[in-house]
Amino acid sequence: MCRAIEELAIRLTHCERLWRQGEIAQLRKSARALVAIADQIGMGAMADVAKDVTTVIDADDQPAIAATLFRLIRVGETSLTAVWEQQDLSI
């Protein structure tokens, strides 16, 4: 579980960097990987938004890509923060 959470955090950062570099094909691959990891550990909201990112990439809608990617980052950061806080309480 901890490894999956760490991988999600890394991939979120990677997605943002790919978008800033204009590497949309790589961004799509990274978002698809986020979907798989988030689904595996029960983070449905993050998986859903990552799916939305791939959908708008496929539609080649640049403004929607930016908006949806940054929604993914917000949802991802909120979800990861909640998990980390929960782990801190259980120790």
Side-chain angles (χ1 to χ4, degrees), residues 38-74:
D39 271 340
Q40 284 179 349
I41 61 172
M43 292 186 156
M46 188 185 304
D48 289 344
V49 180
K51 287 176 194 171
D52 292 343
V53 170
T54 63
T55 299
V56 296
I57 288 172
D58 292 343
D60 195 29
D61 184 342
Q62 295 301 314
I65 293 170
T68 309
L69 174 62
F70 285 96
R71 180 167 41 107
L72 173 61
I73 292 167
R74 283 191 309 274

